[in-house]
């Protein structure tokens, strides 16, 4: 008869997610993960199959915890330019929160694992496509209301904004200079016309 799991799975995945955010996939051993999750490595393998299975669960949790609320914020309505400005502000606040700030798991996974792991690449594609589709909707609706100039493709603008959001995260990891990041965001906002 199989033993019942004796730990809170979401709390365990959350702890693993933070470990991956801190030291990346390659820099986080199974021992590190078991320690962070406060479980034995046997329980880790029983629950997730292997380190890769746990990483995929961490990516899924990250999407639910961070990407989905971010997308909901973009869908909140109001003036589209101000909504996008607020989204840039939220990203910049997250980046500049202070020393020891964990990195974006999506950016980390893209740089470290997407080129060699199809399951990771697919999860990242789904998340970024959802963000891009949301921005496309926001921009298209705003163009219809005359808030954003209609002389540029809404799809092109949405793709550009996704790249800008992720680019801010990458550059912020190198130099979390709030003024420089804010200037870059303002340039992107200017592109909305």
């Amino acid at each position: 008869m199989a033993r019942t799991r004796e730990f809170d799975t979401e709390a365990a995945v959350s702890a693993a997610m933070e470990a991956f955010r801190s030291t990346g996939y390659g820099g986080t051993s199974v021992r590190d993960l078991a320690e962070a999750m406060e479980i034995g490595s046997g329980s880790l393998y029983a629950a997730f199959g292997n380190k890769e299975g746990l990483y995929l669960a961490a990516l899924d949790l990250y999407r639910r915890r961070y990407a989905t609320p971010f997308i909901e914020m973009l869908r909140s309505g109001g003036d589209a330019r101000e909504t996008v400005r607020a989204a840039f502000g939220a990203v910049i606040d997250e980046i500049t929160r202070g020393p020891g700030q964990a990195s974006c798991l999506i950016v980390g996974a893209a740089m470290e694992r997407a080129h060699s792991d199809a399951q990771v690449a697919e999860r990242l594609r789904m998340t970024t496509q959802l963000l891009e589709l949301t921005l496309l909707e926001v921009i298209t609706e705003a163009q219809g209301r005359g808030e954003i100039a209609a002389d540029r493709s809404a799809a092109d603008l949405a793709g550009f904004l996704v790249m800008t959001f992720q680019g801010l995260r990458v550059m912020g990891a190198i130099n979390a200079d709030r003024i420089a990041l804010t200037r870059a965001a303002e340039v992107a906002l200017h592109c909305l016309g």
Side-chain angles (χ1 to χ4, degrees):
M1 189 163 161
R3 290 181 48 184
T4 58
R5 196 172 298 154
E6 298 177 8
F7 61 90
D8 178 337
T9 303
E10 179 139 346
V13 174
S14 181
M17 179 184 72
E18 294 306 324
F20 286 130
R21 287 179 74 191
S22 178
T23 55
Y25 182 86
T28 309
S29 69
V30 170
R31 176 186 225 166
D32 297 333
L33 291 164
E35 190 175 296
M37 296 164 69
E38 299 179 354
I39 63 173
S41 58
S43 295
L44 185 153
Y45 287 114
F48 303 102
N50 54 25
K51 179 180 169 181
E52 174 69 17
L54 178 56
Y55 191 67
L56 295 174
L59 284 171
D60 291 341
L61 178 61
Y62 190 87
R63 181 178 57 244
R64 288 192 310 273
R65 217 179 254 179
Y66 297 102
T68 301
F70 185 73
I71 288 165
E72 289 169 4
M73 179 177 77
L74 288 167
R75 288 184 172 149
S76 65
D79 179 84
R81 186 177 280 103
E82 291 309 311
T83 299
V84 173
R85 179 177 274 118
F88 276 128
V91 168
I92 292 167
D93 287 346
E94 179 186 317
I95 292 167
T96 60
R97 192 167 293 141
Q101 174 65 25
S103 66
C104 172
L105 189 60
I106 292 170
V107 170
M111 300 306 295
E112 188 178 13
R113 304 284 303 154
H115 63 283
S116 63
D117 187 318
Q119 291 183 83
V120 169
E122 181 57 27
R123 278 174 168 77
L124 300 180
R125 244 187 317 277
M126 288 183 340
T127 302
T128 56
Q129 283 175 348
L130 182 56
L131 175 57
E132 191 166 340
L133 285 172
T134 300
L135 285 163
L136 175 61
E137 291 169 17
V138 168
I139 292 166
T140 300
E141 290 170 10
Q143 285 177 329
R145 293 189 302 265
E147 291 173 16
I148 292 177
D151 62 339
R152 290 196 177 125
S153 159
D156 290 348
L157 289 170
F160 171 71
L161 289 175
V162 169
M163 288 183 207
T164 305
F165 281 120
Q166 299 303 54
L168 286 174
R169 288 183 168 102
V170 170
M171 295 310 294
I174 297 167
N175 181 14
D177 179 340
R178 176 178 285 280
I179 293 169
L181 296 170
T182 301
R183 284 181 185 148
E186 287 299 323
V187 169
L189 285 165
H190 183 72
C191 291
L192 295 179

